[in-house]
Amino acid sequence: MRVQSSATEPITIAVGGKPNTTAGTLVAALGVVAFSLTFPATAWGLEGFGPWSLVGVRSVLAALIAGSCLLALRVPVPARRHWAGLAVVAGGVVVGFPMLTTLALRTSTTSHAAVVVGLLPLTTALFSALRMGTRPSRTFWAAALAGAAAVLAFTVQQSGGSLTSADLYLFGSLLVCAAGYTEGGRLAKVIPGWQVVGWALVLCLPFSVPATVVALSYEPVHLTAHSVTGLLWVAAGSQFLGLVVWYRGMAMIGIPKASQLQLAQPLLTLVWSVLLLGEHLTVAAPLTAAAVLVCIAVTQRARG
């Protein structure tokens, strides 16, 4: 059956309360592919922008895209009860995660950062359980923990057994992003996902515009093909389009299962790191890939 949301886009609800798992998985997977390019694109962007400038400009550009779509479609302002949740999305996904990961990528390789952030699915599932009372099965948790353990082992092996300041930034990004994903996934059940992202971006404009002006005045900008391409992708691809399909996918199949698809994100980023940045992978990479893909298969079949 179909019910009309408070906004312009209808939300599909399967009869009997069962979500369209196949379609939802494909939609969420598109978001993962978009996100997998974020770190290589950020590395390109840092070739011409300072970290604060890059985050500020990407946020402003993404907000302009989102605001134009909201205005053109005459989307009504969300109800007041949703603004607290939108603020969490804005703080975690629009500001916190981009800022912390960009700071980390000043000294960390994209491949290393991608593997550390591979812990995000488990972090998101934990936030979801605490915030929304979800109760995934024991099989689900066992597979999720196994995937996280594989990612963590890969990280430790890559860093030589010690954590750096970049790792601390990355671990902080896990917390704020998981909170934003959880709240965004909850809101996407009552508000179309692209509008959740759009309003969160617009909500940040009063802060992101002056912050960007200040950052640009202190950090020199050197425009190159790489830096411009990287900026455009993180703004339009990662910050807007990727989040649009990601939140829609979470609304369709649930936050815990959607979050486990992100176990594949580090592996995709490793591929992009080699192809786009010329980074070299260790032998452990394909072994981790096999372990993670098995965990994904198990979590997608486990019943909550």
Side-chain angles (χ1 to χ4, degrees):
M1 62 178 288
R2 293 172 72 85
V3 297
Q4 186 70 29
S5 71
S6 59
T8 58
E9 182 181 338
I11 298 175
T12 301
I13 302 177
V15 176
K18 296 180 179 179
N20 188 337
T21 303
T22 301
T25 300
L26 290 175
V27 171
L30 287 176
V32 172
V33 173
F35 296 154
S36 70
L37 282 161
T38 300
F39 286 173
T42 300
W44 276 5
L46 285 172
E47 293 180 12
F49 293 88
W52 299 95
S53 299
L54 180 60
V55 173
V57 174
R58 72 179 274 185
S59 177
V60 171
L61 288 179
L64 292 176
I65 296 172
S68 298
C69 293
L70 292 169
L71 185 62
L73 296 175
R74 297 181 179 180
V75 177
V77 175
R80 182 176 298 179
R81 66 181 183 276
H82 297 316
W83 281 99
L86 289 171
V88 175
V89 176
V93 178
V94 177
V95 178
F97 185 80
M99 187 72 259
L100 291 170
T101 53
T102 300
L103 290 172
L105 286 171
R106 292 180 304 167
T107 56
S108 172
T109 64
T110 59
S111 56
H112 179 81
V115 175
V116 174
V117 176
L119 295 174
L120 183 57
L122 180 58
T123 311
T124 303
L126 289 172
F127 268 78
S128 175
L130 293 173
R131 176 68 175 88
M132 303 177 66
T134 55
R135 295 292 181 268
S137 67
R138 292 181 179 179
T139 301
F140 176 95
W141 283 116
L145 288 170
V151 169
L152 186 58
F154 183 87
T155 304
V156 172
Q157 186 271 335
Q158 287 283 70
S159 62
S162 60
L163 297 179
T164 65
S165 59
D167 291 321
L168 297 179
Y169 283 130
L170 293 170
F171 286 132
S173 73
L174 292 176
L175 298 177
V176 297
C177 189
Y181 278 172
T182 299
E183 203 64 24
R186 184 186 67 82
L187 288 172
K189 292 183 178 181
V190 293
I191 303 174
W194 76 271
Q195 293 178 26
V196 173
V197 178
W199 287 117
L201 287 164
V202 171
L203 184 64
C204 288
L205 268 178
F207 309 97
S208 59
V209 170
T212 301
V213 172
V214 172
L216 288 172
S217 67
Y218 282 94
E219 295 178 338
V221 174
H222 305 286
L223 297 181
T224 64
H226 275 183
S227 64
V228 172
T229 300
L231 171 63
L232 292 178
W233 178 258
V234 294
S238 302
Q239 195 85 54
F240 183 63
L241 295 177
L243 286 172
V244 166
V245 294
W246 175 242
Y247 281 138
R248 184 57 183 260
M250 283 197 293
M252 295 173 73
I253 65 176
I255 295 173
K257 284 193 174 184
S259 69
Q260 298 313 302
L261 289 173
Q262 281 200 307
L263 286 170
Q265 184 175 321
L267 311 175
L268 292 172
T269 300
L270 292 178
V271 174
W272 302 130
S273 297
V274 172
L275 296 178
L276 300 178
L277 303 176
E279 294 184 4
H280 299 285
L281 302 182
T282 64
V283 178
L287 297 178
T288 306
V292 168
L293 289 177
V294 169
C295 292
I296 291 174
V298 174
T299 57
Q300 294 306 298
R301 287 167 174 75
R303 295 193 178 208

